[in-house]
Amino acid sequence: MSDERAVLKGTALPSPALTVAILYGRPDPAASADEADTVTQVNAVRQALLCLGHRAVDVPVTLDLAAAAAALRAVRPDLVFNLSESLEGKGCLIHLAPSLLDGLGIPYTGAPAEAILLTSQKIWAKRILAGVGLPTPPWVSAARALGSPPPFPGPWIVKSVWEHASVGMEDTAVASDAAALSAEIRRRSGREPLDHLFVEGFVDGRELNLSFLATDDPEAPQGMPPAEMLFLGFPEGKPRIVGWRAKWAEGSFEYVATPRRFDIPAADAPLLAALDGLSRECWRLFDLRGYARVDFRVDPAGRPWILEVNANPCISPDAGFMAAAGRAGLTAGDVVRRIVADALRGRPAARKEGSP
Ligand SMILES: Nc1ncnc2c1ncn2[C@@H]1O[C@H](COP(=O)(O)OP(=O)(O)O)[C@@H](O)[C@H]1O
Ligand SMILES: [Mg+2]
């Protein structure tokens, strides 16, 4: 059994220990909770790497990519654990760090730079999904929606093209008429460029997240138990969304009223099987590696819609991915070991060729 295989099966520590650089976008000292979460994630991954017997070195990245390259050359890592989510607070710079690693020829964990770019840019991700017939809600650019109502029925939701973690998403994101939609686009375009916003058909229904972790077959990740986000006691008219407050404002109504459950009724087995199949199509379509989470809504007719594909989802201890992994009986150490083992296998060139 090779070292890597032994590591994957959990039967041995890697031999020799690896030097792993943990790469992340340095958060602004005045960062909001979503950005500051990067530090929690870095700490959790560092802890797991050390427990696995590796050496871990933090490499924060800013727009000074030359400095990051110099730091990486000095560390001479065997592998980079890529936790970069945004650079200098900008989601649209998310792919710069992994692209730099490609340029330097350093192997790294999780999705390749191209997959990160294409899944993070939500309109491109939707174009690619729709192009192969995968169900994603209809959409239109925010600029077009300002001129005339979207060419599909409301309600609508205004979303950020690049930002994740529900940044900027408040209740007003969901609009039922053209006036409310325009007002929300104007409000949001005060903090994000207009072309970084888009409008999507609002799917008023259940929300489920499916998480996947690499196995020794890059085409066949292990599915974690599906999670459902519940909307408890939402007053009539309050949009049922997992917006910024639901994710980050601990103690707020939205935070408390949107618990995650794993005990999904047995009658939903066909739905869960459909979501699993769709998620695996996304995994192959975008060339995902390591770990991923796909977010769905299910409309009142029972049809699933892909909201987004999260390459390299958050793996902080309280994040959805780790909750699902824990439910599958995996520790943080198991998750990190499997992500590292997957990265050590390298990128199979064959997967980049031919049709999906
Ligand atoms: N089309 C939609 N229909 C219903 N709810 C949506 C839709 N798009 C987003 N949401 C809500 O907004 C949340 C955040 O949107 P999402 O697309 O997952 O972006 P991100 O998590 O990257 O901020 C979702 O978890 C969901 O609650
Ligand atoms: Mg999401």
Side-chain angles (χ1 to χ4, degrees), residues 129 132-136 210 212 270-286 288 293-298 302-309:
L129 290 168
V132 297
L134 288 170
T136 186
L210 270 74
F212 293 83
L271 171 67
L272 297 184
L275 300 184
D276 181 79
L278 290 170
S279 303
R280 289 175 188 279
E281 287 190 62
C282 293
W283 179 280
R284 287 189 292 271
L285 181 64
F286 288 104
L288 300 183
R293 197 192 74 236
V294 185
D295 295 342
F296 293 93
R297 296 282 285 218
V298 182
R303 274 184 311 243
W305 297 90
I306 300 166
L307 291 190
E308 61 158 353
V309 178

Side-chain angles (χ1 to χ4, degrees), residues 132-146:
V132 297
L134 288 170
T136 186
W139 76 97
V140 68
S141 72
R144 214 185 125 191
L146 268 185

Side-chain angles (χ1 to χ4, degrees), residues 122 126 137-138 157 159-160 162-167 169 174 198 200-205 207 209 229 231 240-243 247 293 295-297 305 307-308 310:
K122 290 196 175 88
K126 289 170 70 64
I157 181 166
K159 298 190 14 173
S160 173
W162 285 104
E163 300 307 329
H164 55 274
S166 296
V167 166
M169 190 179 282
V174 179
F198 71 108
E200 194 174 77
F202 181 67
V203 183
D204 202 0
E207 176 155 344
N209 311 133
M229 305 307 296
F231 299 95
R240 288 182 296 172
I241 54 172
V242 186
K247 283 183 182 162
R293 197 192 74 236
D295 295 342
F296 293 93
R297 296 282 285 218
W305 297 90
L307 291 190
E308 61 158 353
N310 297 280

Side-chain angles (χ1 to χ4, degrees), residues 1-8 11-12:
M1 183 182 277
S2 71
D3 283 341
E4 287 155 35
R5 191 60 60 83
V7 171
L8 181 66
T11 54

Side-chain angles (χ1 to χ4, degrees), residues 317-332:
D318 60 353
F321 186 94
M322 291 310 292
R327 189 79 180 186
L330 299 172
T331 64

Side-chain angles (χ1 to χ4, degrees), residues 233-253:
F234 271 56
E236 192 59 36
K238 183 174 175 64
R240 288 182 296 172
I241 54 172
V242 186
W244 194 87
R245 292 172 66 78
K247 283 183 182 162
W248 304 105
E250 286 184 33
S252 66
F253 168 81

